[in-house]
Structure formats: structure tokens, C-alpha cells
Amino acid sequence: MRMEYHVPVMLTETLDGLCIKPDGVYVDATFGGGGHSRAILSQLGAHGRLLSFDQDLDAAANAFDDERFTFVRGNFRYLKNFLRYYGVDKVDGVLADLGVSSHHFDDEQRGFSFRFDAALDMRMNRRALLTAADVLNSYDEARLADVFFYYGELRQARRIAGAVVAARVAAPIATVAQLLEVVRPFFPRERDKKEAAKVFQALRIEVNDEMGALRALLVQTAEVLRPGGRLAVLTYHSLEDRLVKNFVKTGSCDGRGERDFYGNMMAPFAAVNNKVLVASAEEVAENPRARSAKLRVAERVGE
């Protein structure tokens, strides 16, 4: 395993939240470098089982040779189908470490980071068809503005979208440098990097349909987790965290859960922690990615 691929965030807190049973069945929905998965396996006994998902071929190289372990090359949005394929009906815990791994940011060829001039790709699954360049060069102005506003939370989303549409008339926007040339005039110098990161976040979320995949995953966890099973989700921006918070509280990603005759919310989960958990100052100092991490843990209530 290549340890430099990705450093797991809030590892101890996540394992505590999952409350791992030695003979349990667990899912790591975001395998990456395998840090969380390796730690889960270390707490499983001979009859325990772990299935770890990742749609990126690069992650497959980090898979373990362990009879208790199954690497699933696929998007976690298809959780239930893959579990059925591998003969699993119910599980005892699901972990999802959302967002982008440090490996993706550090790969100069993938286009996830504005630190390197590369083709605007941003696909987690390189078998997928849609790239960031496709979004920039084919979406109309209104649709682009929505991507920047909803997924990047950019105040000047409409103006940025207009500038992109105007610029691509002369030549397609195909590289990181070309995109930065278009969008940087809209950002104050002191906030240049932070605002550029929002543009890249918005495109990445759109290319990979990250919000749609997260909604699909959350809904399916309610179906596959046994009563008493744990759901642990690490989020890195407000869009993800809002969905998870709503789902844990109401059983619905939009926060409009069903209520019983007496007006009580009929949510399939109960929050384990009253407050969202964040990384310690010590961890943030060692791993900057942990700075924006939020961990929510919930327990599946009885059926």
C-alpha cells in the first residue's frame, strides 16, 4: 500500500463512532488509500467482513490481500446493488469520507487542483464521459451560473458564467490556466485562492454528480443497516454537511421527513453525538485537510 496516497481524517473518532463488532459486516464507501479500511480490518475478527468501494482505478492498487476484505470498483451510489451481488443483505456499519483525496489534488494530470496547469478533467471515474472542460464549453450561461452558485456558493456566479461563455467563443476552455485567466478578474487578490477553489469545487461536484451520489447513498443506508448499526460520514463543505444533517434528523435529505399521527418525526436514524465532531488542533496541524472536516455519526433505530 502506498501510504502517501491519502491520510485518513479523524481516524480514532470515526472508529469509535462505528462501534465495530469483531464479527460484524462493514462498508467503507470511500476506500481511497485504504487508511480507514485498514483500521476497520484491524478491529475485525476472523468472521468479520469489510467491503470497500471506490470508483477510481488508482485506488484499486491499494487493495488488501485479506479474505475478509472485498474491493468494489464502483460508485457508492449503487451500494445496495453491489451488496446484493456479493451476497450481503444487512451490514453493521457504513463509513463515508466524502470530498477529494489528497491523491487527487496532488496528481498533476487530473485537473482537480489549480496548483498545476493540466487538462480540465476532474473525473473521479475516468471511464465516465463528462469532464470539467465539457461542462465549461457545452453548458449554456444559465446552467453554468447555477453550477457556480449552488455548488461553489459564488456570489458572482452569473458574471463568471457570462465571462466563460464569452471566452469560449474565441477558443474552448480546455486547461486549468485558461480557466484561471477567465475567472481571476472577479476575485480580490487577498481571496484569490479561496475563490478559485470554489470554482473548482463547483465543477468537480457537477462532473461527478457528488450531491446526487450522496443522496442515493444516504437513502440506501437506511435500507441496509441493521437496527443498532452505525453510519459515520465525514464532510468537508456545507453542501455535503447539510444533506447529512437533514438526513440524520428527518430521514430525508431535504429535511422534510414524515411525521406520525402525533407529529413526531419518523426518522430511521438517531444522532449519536449532539454536536458535530471536528478534528483536534493537533490533527489539523499535521493534516491540513482535516481543518474543514465534520464527522456526523448516527445509529439505525429499530424497525
Side-chain angles (χ1 to χ4, degrees):
M1 177 183 172
R2 296 171 294 168
M3 294 302 292
E4 73 277 11
Y5 187 102
H6 179 71
V7 178
V9 172
M10 298 179 69
L11 182 59
T12 300
E13 295 89 340
T14 302
L15 294 178
D16 289 345
L18 286 173
C19 199
I20 295 170
K21 299 186 295 185
D23 60 349
V25 180
Y26 292 87
V27 169
D28 180 352
T30 48
F31 179 68
H36 283 112
S37 284
R38 183 177 291 276
I40 292 171
L41 274 176
S42 73
Q43 295 193 15
L44 292 179
H47 300 291
R49 188 173 183 187
L50 173 65
L51 298 96
S52 295
F53 287 65
D54 207 297
Q55 60 184 324
D56 193 338
L57 181 60
D58 289 355
N62 300 315
F64 316 131
D65 182 14
D66 189 310
E67 62 182 10
R68 302 168 300 168
F69 174 77
T70 301
F71 178 79
V72 182
R73 171 90 193 278
N75 193 308
F76 58 56
R77 73 189 307 153
Y78 305 115
L79 171 68
K80 193 174 179 180
N81 286 345
F82 276 113
L83 290 182
R84 186 183 300 116
Y85 177 80
Y86 286 104
V88 177
D89 181 35
K90 297 290 184 179
V91 302
D92 298 285
V94 175
L95 160 67
D97 182 3
L98 304 174
V100 184
S101 74
S102 52
H103 166 75
H104 289 123
F105 282 130
D106 293 339
D107 188 335
E108 298 182 16
Q109 304 303 316
R110 302 288 291 272
F112 284 98
S113 173
F114 53 81
R115 290 181 294 148
F116 314 109
D117 187 21
L120 286 164
D121 191 322
M122 300 194 194
R123 292 172 298 171
M124 300 285 193
N125 177 4
R126 283 184 279 192
R127 296 181 296 187
L129 299 178
L130 185 71
T131 69
D134 294 329
V135 171
L136 290 166
N137 293 295
S138 65
Y139 281 22
D140 63 33
E141 186 172 333
R143 191 176 180 189
L144 270 177
D146 284 346
V147 169
F148 292 138
F149 182 76
Y150 290 111
Y151 295 157
E153 299 181 298
L154 288 155
R155 294 181 180 180
Q156 300 197 66
R158 293 192 181 282
R159 293 181 62 198
I160 294 171
V164 167
V165 170
R168 74 192 190 193
V169 172
I173 301 172
T175 68
V176 169
Q178 288 174 312
L179 175 58
L180 291 176
E181 184 178 357
V182 174
V183 302
R184 272 187 166 149
F186 295 96
F187 307 143
R189 180 166 295 182
E190 66 275 11
R191 292 179 56 83
D192 178 70
K193 291 183 178 179
K194 190 169 184 178
E195 296 299 305
K198 292 181 180 180
V199 172
F200 278 67
Q201 172 184 292
L203 290 170
R204 189 200 78 226
I205 291 173
E206 176 67 13
V207 166
N208 297 287
D209 188 23
E210 292 179 25
M211 296 298 102
L214 177 55
R215 290 187 184 94
L217 172 69
L218 292 173
V219 169
Q220 290 172 81
T221 61
E223 300 176 42
V224 303
L225 276 164
R226 293 188 178 94
R230 294 288 182 91
L231 169 66
V233 185
L234 281 159
T235 65
Y236 296 88
H237 56 74
S238 59
L239 302 177
E240 295 171 337
D241 187 57
R242 193 177 304 126
L243 285 185
V244 177
K245 181 180 179 180
N246 284 342
F247 182 76
V248 170
K249 186 176 181 180
T250 69
S252 170
C253 291
D254 61 10
R256 303 174 186 171
E258 296 182 12
R259 295 182 181 273
D260 63 18
F261 179 79
Y262 301 99
N264 300 311
M265 190 66 67
M266 297 190 297
F269 287 92
V272 172
N273 303 96
N274 292 327
K275 289 186 177 181
V276 65
L277 301 178
V278 297
S280 66
E282 292 77 14
E283 180 175 3
V284 171
E286 295 180 2
N287 183 8
R289 182 173 181 264
R291 181 178 295 109
S292 58
K294 293 182 178 179
L295 173 63
R296 295 188 183 274
V297 181
E299 183 173 297
R300 182 72 167 93
V301 297
E303 297 176 332

